Amino acid sequence: MKTLKLNIVSIATLIILTGCAVYRQDLNITTCPTAEVNASYSKASTVEGLVREIVKKGVPGMTVAMYSREGLWQYAAGDAKIENHTPMQTCHLHYLQSIAKTYMAVAILKLYEEQKLNLDAPMTTYLPLTYSQYITDAEQVTIRMLLNHTSGVPEYNSEPAYITDLLQTPDHTFTPEDYLAYIEGKPLRFSPGTKYSYCNTNYELLALIGDAITGDHAAYITENIFTPLALNHTYYRNEAGYLNYPELYNAYWDRHSDGIIENASQLQRNNVAALIGDDGIVATPEDAILFLKGLMEGLILSSATLDTMKTWALDSKGNPAYGLGLDHATFGDHIAYGHSGGGIGAGCQLYYFPEQQIYLFLGINLGTVTDSPIHKEVGEILENLYKVILE
């Protein structure tokens, strides 16, 4: 059963390490041209009301976008920046956080289709020794195991040393080797291929493999995903002024889990700017929808490769959990394919519901790395939101 609560990611312990000093660095943001809303969408009034309820509970701003048999519909409420009351708009950019893993997986699968990569080859076939030397028994881990989180590779972002460095030196520019150094010499968590366990390190390694094969995995993603799907408001490292976009919302967090939110935009941006493969993409909600729609409709990968992408690793209870960059989720009784994402100052979900033929994006500019009474307050409203949209 997929939780409808705002997920707490593995660096939740950062709250303990930040002390009591306020870290507030707001960034400039502008309003932007908002596309005309599909006023004929039959559930618009109800969904809008629920989104406004979520904002009233303390979430700074929220956007919902969906594509259904009734066409594209979008709505935003609350603030993209609280300090000057810049309203959240559907044209504002959202941090996609771990949804970036689906894009990274598609890039790797494109290389597979081009016969430049074997999914069942050891990652050491493609990953330079510069990086593979950090991973214990790296030769036992295949590309497929990285894609579906069955590698057993340790998680870098749950390491206390990483969390400490991130928060005590928030302006430090991390490198891929920095992240891998946190897990250097650590044993694999389990024998590769024997179980499923979600791990961000897997996708950092895939990005480095992408670099080794293409020379620049970010440029490859732009050329093979963004450009063919006309994702003109999606950005990942290769685009000019990366993350310095005036349409990118300000990010907030409940650092002390007391319902009092602070602006953490600079910390959020610096963190995301350093991440590769497992994070790093910003996009408008509409572009996020168009990406998943293009993927599911076979506009990027062949039908055979898409079927491979939907070969599910099983969780500890024997239920389908994760494919090759795709989360297998259930919302109530409804199956969905896609991904969720969370960070210091953002949270989002992007899913396709095949039974209803609905693509749905939900995004907020409140972090999910710390627990908060705000998250608890909006949990039931989120459940109602999904029920309204899906039933």
Side-chain angles (χ1 to χ4, degrees):
M1 177 70 177
K2 184 72 177 181
T3 178
L4 299 184
K5 297 186 291 184
L6 301 175
N7 294 331
I8 305 302
V9 300
S10 59
I11 59 173
T13 51
L14 60 79
I15 187 87
I16 300 170
L17 301 172
T18 54
C20 297
V22 171
Y23 183 89
R24 177 188 176 276
Q25 285 193 315
D26 58 305
L27 299 173
N28 292 330
I29 183 171
T30 64
T31 56
C32 47
T34 301
E36 185 176 347
V37 172
N38 177 2
S40 63
Y41 173 55
S42 60
K43 299 178 180 178
S45 178
T46 305
V47 174
E48 289 173 8
L50 290 169
V51 172
R52 289 194 296 269
E53 280 189 49
I54 289 172
V55 169
K56 287 179 182 177
K57 295 295 185 182
V59 172
M62 181 174 180
T63 304
V64 55
M66 72 180 75
Y67 189 93
S68 68
R69 294 181 180 91
E70 299 183 51
L72 178 70
W73 181 83
Q74 305 181 79
Y75 178 71
D79 289 333
K81 182 175 181 178
I82 293 173
E83 288 78 4
N84 63 2
H85 299 294
T86 300
M88 182 72 84
Q89 297 174 272
T90 57
C91 50
H92 278 133
L93 296 170
H94 283 249
Y95 290 99
L96 297 192
Q97 307 286 177
S98 284
I99 294 173
K101 291 181 175 69
T102 305
Y103 294 74
M104 188 69 242
V106 170
I108 293 295
L109 290 169
K110 287 290 291 182
L111 293 173
Y112 160 73
E113 288 188 338
E114 294 167 4
Q115 299 184 341
K116 295 177 181 177
L117 177 147
N118 181 342
L119 295 179
D120 295 308
M123 68 175 179
T124 49
T125 305
Y126 312 101
L127 185 66
L129 181 61
T130 303
Y131 303 116
S132 62
Q133 65 181 346
Y134 289 98
I135 309 300
T136 300
D137 297 326
E139 69 283 352
Q140 296 183 22
V141 176
T142 68
I143 304 301
R144 190 186 302 270
M145 292 172 189
L146 295 174
L147 285 165
N148 67 7
H149 298 295
T150 61
S151 70
V153 170
E155 174 64 87
Y156 76 83
N157 84 353
S158 62
E159 289 295 317
Y162 165 64
I163 300 166
T164 301
D165 291 343
L166 171 65
L167 293 164
Q168 291 184 352
T169 57
D171 295 324
H172 172 69
T173 301
F174 287 86
T175 68
E177 286 188 82
D178 287 337
Y179 295 125
L180 295 177
Y182 292 113
I183 61 170
E184 183 177 12
K186 293 184 180 295
L188 297 180
R189 292 178 293 159
F190 49 84
S191 179
T194 61
K195 64 182 291 187
Y196 161 77
S197 181
Y198 187 88
C199 175
N200 290 283
T201 314
N202 291 327
Y203 276 74
E204 183 195 354
L205 293 169
L206 288 168
L208 294 170
I209 288 167
D211 280 342
I213 295 173
T214 68
D216 185 341
H217 81 279
Y220 184 84
I221 285 174
T222 297
E223 293 164 9
N224 290 274
I225 300 176
F226 298 172
T227 299
L229 293 179
L231 305 181
N232 298 320
H233 303 286
T234 304
Y235 309 98
Y236 175 60
R237 306 185 70 83
N238 187 56
E239 286 69 35
Y242 177 58
L243 295 188
N244 292 309
Y245 308 116
E247 300 85 9
L248 183 58
Y249 60 51
N250 272 227
Y252 299 86
W253 66 338
D254 183 356
R255 182 163 54 131
H256 299 291
S257 301
D258 57 5
I260 299 173
I261 62 173
E262 299 170 0
N263 193 313
S265 297
Q266 188 69 56
L267 179 60
Q268 165 75 11
R269 187 171 71 176
N270 291 347
N271 178 232
V272 170
L275 299 173
I276 62 170
D278 61 328
D279 203 328
I281 294 178
V282 295
T284 59
E286 181 177 357
D287 262 25
I289 291 286
L290 291 175
F291 163 68
L292 189 58
K293 187 171 183 288
L295 174 60
M296 292 297 158
E297 292 182 354
L299 301 182
I300 318 176
L301 300 175
S302 71
S303 59
T305 304
L306 185 56
D307 286 343
T308 299
M309 197 176 190
K310 292 188 285 188
T311 303
W312 310 109
L314 305 181
D315 64 19
S316 60
K317 297 180 180 179
N319 298 315
Y322 202 92
L324 307 188
L326 277 180
D327 180 27
H328 183 289
T330 55
F331 294 79
D333 296 326
H334 307 296
I335 292 174
Y337 311 137
H339 220 289
S340 61
I344 293 168
C348 51
Q349 294 183 336
L350 176 65
Y351 284 100
Y352 170 55
F353 297 84
E355 180 186 351
Q356 293 82 6
Q357 296 183 39
I358 289 175
Y359 296 87
L360 178 64
F361 175 86
L362 300 177
I364 61 173
N365 58 343
L366 176 65
T368 60
V369 299
T370 58
D371 202 359
S372 172
I374 298 172
H375 299 327
K376 295 179 178 65
E377 292 261 343
V378 304
E380 186 176 340
I381 305 172
L382 274 173
E383 290 198 26
N384 289 336
L385 180 63
Y386 273 101
K387 287 179 182 177
V388 168
I389 291 170
L390 298 174
E391 296 178 356

